[in-house]
Amino acid sequence: MEGPAPASPSKRMKSTGWGLVTMAFRVRSSKYRHIFGSPYRKELCYENVHITRNAHDSNFCAVNPKFLAVVIEASGGGAFLVLPLEKTGRVDINAPKVTGHAGTVLDIKWNPFDDNVIASAADDNTVKVWRIPNTMHSNLTEWAVDLHGHQRKVTNIEWHPTASNIILSTGMDHKCILWNVEQAEPLNIINCHNDTVFSITWNREGSLFATTCKDRKIRVHDPRTAQVAIDGTGHQGVKASKSVFLGDTNRIFTTGFSRSSERQYAIWDVRNMTKSLKTEVVDFSSGILFPFYDHDSKVIFLAGKGDGNIRYYEIVSAAPYCHYLNQFQSSSPQRSLGIMPKRGCDAKRCEIVRFYKLHTAKDLVEPVSMIVPRKSDQFQDDIFPPTASCVPSLTADEWISGQNREPILVSLQDGALKQTPTITTFKAVNRPPLARSSTLPTAQVPPSVNTEINKEPASLKNIKRLSSNDEFVTLSSDPANNTCTIENHGEGDVSTAKESVNKTPEKVMRKSWAPSSNSSSADDVTSNGIVSSSPVDNSLPFDQNLIEGSSQEIADLLQSCHSENLTEIVDAESKIDTKNGLEPENIHSTTAVFKSNVNLTFSSETKSVESDERRIHVKKVWSPTPISPSSLENGTNQLDAELRKAYFQQVEEIKSLKEQMSMKDKRIRQLEEEICSIRQRVNSGESESNC
């Protein structure tokens, strides 16, 4: 006896006492079910773009609301093309390019917090950060930051999603390096992979990042401690696997291949990586699947390398965790895709995602919009919630100290910032010393990283170091002979042969530099970096606020020196004893600085010195305090000349330092080329001996 006919996919069969009753199949409701892809017209595409033919599994394309960047074919090194978004149509063959890499460019990423800054990774083992001008008239060859640390080519880079000036890179040396771009130095080196790293991805707040590796492992890392938080066994195929964090859901979406070369995707819970939450076969094609996740709509897009279609799924919080929606089909295969940030999409067209498709067989970059159909022309706040803005939630130093914050959101309707986040985690992190096994010259890494971060930029510290030195001034206690003797000594050396009394060390605390201001307090008085606990008397014509424990005799001497405009000190330059070892030019420069604004610190034991001379520690520190007109009238034109001379000397020193840096970089590249040639000769010699 034959059973009942099988029900159609759109209907169910329900058994009752009177027979079988046909019931309608219940369709899951979703506002993203009818998403469709809309390619741009030909005049709005970018033609004549010689897209790179490199076989590396990367996007080779990066987009932001201002620029489109595409890696192109170039001889004699790597290059990529940067075009303004509005400059569509046929691209000039002589259009300005970004050049400077000695090898092929493998990955490019725009800074999420600065639309004019882009990072590039290349085959020359370096990561370079570039500042793109709004209008390029010639090839850009000068990079802003050059990061050396990898021993082999750098394959992938990824900016931190919430902290500024933090970037993560991975290379063929099986290492992941976390960089502080502002200081141009590595923060941590993650050296736990045994094989090639295929992909890197940050979670939404930037507290963890995940990697997929050729050893079929999926690892979740704590970037601050350089430790593996959890790992699991991923896809069993031999081809590359890609991954992306699903926002703040603590889940990871991965694509890869099975043992029988089936393309599949899987969803993992980072709290338990022993088994995937869901694994499903997509098809049997051979191209790698690239996942692109939109956190605002909870929709993930899968684009295959060499495919002409783009599939999209909706992510839900409960099983089965992922629902197939639809796919965009095209007859032209894609090389890879670049994705526009949500703040660059057109909300008036209900465009939730915009891709920039690199064609495989054509020199063409084609924008493709993913649109949710709506009849109304008003702003659709249900499909356009506040999205991540271009304002960082944390500075690099705050993130290094252990803070985690959600991204600062912005409304696509009026551009107003929404939901400014608060600190969610604060944890002091003591990082272990960085193990560096490289034999090539790389960036200088300190043996241990201190949690106290200096707030001063490196450039300002360098200028202050070049513009400050310590000297000692010897004043005679005889009021009739107010002469100034200046001697060169090492810093902190305040003892003389005439002084038989041991002086106690001076209690002076030096703070980081800050512009001088008129506001001051009785508890903490700061002047040019010297902090004193004594109250300030601003009525004194001479700066005596920094004198601690000085005798009234020396104070009167300084007062008289100031009343006479220090003319006797200037006249005393020719009378200084030559045994002090100071040249006349240095004496003149030092007395000029002494006249303008000096920090005087006296020991509390000055009264007990039986000698007729007093030693004053003069600390010359650069200060941006402007020169008043009264001081110009008192004959400080000579001081201005000396300051200009010192300024130009510093400029020349900085210029020479830059030249030395460029020569060192050139030497590094030469050594790398020599090592490569030596290795090739050794390998060829071994092959001949084996034959």
Side-chain angles (χ1 to χ4, degrees), residues 577-652:
D577 191 6
T578 57
K579 67 179 180 180
N580 292 328
L582 189 66
E583 296 296 331
E585 296 180 358
N586 296 335
I587 297 171
H588 182 75
S589 175
T590 307
T591 53
V593 175
F594 177 74
K595 288 193 299 180
S596 61
N597 187 8
V598 296
N599 298 331
L600 304 178
T601 306
F602 295 91
S603 175
S604 60
E605 301 293 335
T606 309
K607 295 182 180 180
S608 61
V609 179
E610 298 178 357
S611 175
D612 293 337
E613 295 181 347
R614 299 290 195 272
R615 302 293 301 278
I616 302 173
H617 185 186
V618 179
K619 182 73 176 180
K620 299 193 299 180
V621 181
W622 176 81
S623 174
T625 305
I627 301 175
S628 59
S630 59
S631 62
L632 293 175
E633 295 176 358
N634 292 334
T636 56
N637 294 328
Q638 188 175 5
L639 173 61
D640 292 343
E642 293 294 333
L643 291 176
R644 285 195 295 269
K645 181 179 178 181
Y647 169 78
F648 287 114
Q649 288 178 354
Q650 294 174 15
V651 170
E652 292 295 327

Side-chain angles (χ1 to χ4, degrees), residues 3 57 63 78 80 83 99 134 144 157 160 173 207 218 267 314 324 388 470 518 528 545 565 572 586 691:
D57 298 321
V63 194
F80 58 94
L83 298 172
T99 61
N134 293 326
I157 52 176
H160 195 278
D173 55 358
S207 60
I218 302 173
I267 300 177
E314 185 174 4
Y324 174 77
D470 291 345
N518 295 329
N528 289 337
N545 300 325
N565 294 327
N586 296 335
C691 293

Side-chain angles (χ1 to χ4, degrees), residues 158 160-163 166-169 176-179 186-192 201-203 205-211 219-230 245 399-404 427 429-432 434 449:
E158 201 70 42
H160 195 278
T162 59
I166 298 292
I167 194 170
L168 178 66
S169 65
C176 297
I177 302 181
L178 191 67
W179 302 91
L187 298 175
N188 259 332
I189 298 178
I190 296 90
N191 192 11
C192 62
T201 175
W202 290 95
N203 66 345
E205 64 179 6
S207 60
L208 300 172
F209 74 92
T211 60
R219 297 176 175 87
V220 180
H221 307 264
D222 186 346
R224 299 186 184 95
T225 61
Q227 301 294 327
V228 178
I230 192 171
F245 260 100
W399 181 82
I400 292 169
S401 68
Q403 299 183 26
N404 295 325
K427 177 182 177 182
V429 178
N430 294 323
R431 289 181 296 279
L434 302 180
V449 182

Side-chain angles (χ1 to χ4, degrees), residues 527-542:
S527 177
N528 289 337
I530 301 295
V531 177
S532 175
S533 59
S534 59
V536 181
D537 185 6
N538 293 326
S539 62
L540 295 176
F542 193 83

Side-chain angles (χ1 to χ4, degrees), residues 76 83 109 115 133 144 150 177 228 257 275 287 316 322 362 389 412 425 445 549 569-570 662:
L83 298 172
K109 291 289 168 53
D115 290 340
H150 289 280
I177 302 181
V228 178
F257 293 82
K275 186 179 179 181
V316 293
C322 184
K362 304 176 184 177
S389 67
L412 295 179
T425 303
V445 183
I569 296 179
V570 178
S662 62

Side-chain angles (χ1 to χ4, degrees), residues 84-303:
L85 282 186
E86 64 274 7
K87 191 177 180 180
T88 58
R90 188 174 181 84
V91 179
D92 188 4
I93 192 174
N94 296 321
K97 306 172 184 61
V98 179
T99 61
H101 280 287
T104 305
V105 177
L106 300 179
D107 197 11
I108 51 176
K109 291 289 168 53
W110 287 103
N111 189 337
F113 310 117
D114 193 339
D115 290 340
N116 291 82
V117 175
I118 189 172
S120 60
D123 205 0
D124 58 358
N125 311 342
T126 64
V127 177
K128 298 185 188 298
V129 180
W130 313 80
R131 175 162 289 278
I132 307 299
N134 293 326
T135 303
M136 291 181 59
H137 301 286
S138 60
N139 290 347
L140 181 62
T141 58
E142 294 294 332
W143 53 81
V145 181
D146 192 12
L147 305 175
H148 290 264
H150 289 280
Q151 285 84 52
R152 297 185 64 184
K153 62 182 179 181
V154 187
T155 55
N156 295 283
I157 52 176
E158 201 70 42
W159 289 93
H160 195 278
T162 59
S164 60
N165 295 322
I166 298 292
I167 194 170
L168 178 66
S169 65
T170 181
M172 294 299 290
D173 55 358
H174 311 160
K175 294 180 181 179
C176 297
I177 302 181
L178 191 67
W179 302 91
N180 186 343
V181 176
E182 183 180 6
Q183 301 294 336
E185 62 182 11
L187 298 175
N188 259 332
I189 298 178
I190 296 90
N191 192 11
C192 62
H193 299 89
N194 302 321
D195 214 326
T196 304
V197 180
F198 286 141
S199 68
I200 51 177
T201 175
W202 290 95
N203 66 345
R204 184 163 175 81
E205 64 179 6
S207 60
L208 300 172
F209 74 92
T211 60
T212 56
C213 186
K214 195 175 181 179
D215 61 1
R216 300 178 178 85
K217 288 284 188 179
I218 302 173
R219 297 176 175 87
V220 180
H221 307 264
D222 186 346
R224 299 186 184 95
T225 61
Q227 301 294 327
V228 178
I230 192 171
D231 61 355
T233 303
H235 302 276
Q236 298 301 307
V238 296
K239 293 186 179 180
S241 174
K242 300 294 181 180
S243 64
V244 61
F245 260 100
L246 297 179
D248 54 0
T249 61
N250 289 327
R251 293 197 293 269
I252 303 175
F253 189 97
T254 62
T255 61
F257 293 82
S258 64
R259 290 184 183 273
S260 57
S261 297
E262 299 170 331
R263 288 202 301 192
Q264 57 183 200
Y265 70 84
I267 300 177
W268 308 80
D269 191 343
V270 297
R271 293 162 292 191
N272 184 8
M273 298 282 290
T274 57
K275 186 179 179 181
S276 64
L277 298 177
K278 179 180 180 180
T279 302
E280 186 170 329
V281 176
V282 177
D283 55 16
F284 294 89
S285 298
S286 60
I288 296 172
L289 286 173
F290 294 96
F292 302 92
Y293 180 65
D294 179 25
H295 176 73
D296 299 331
S297 61
K298 304 296 189 295
V299 175
I300 190 165
F301 299 84
L302 299 183

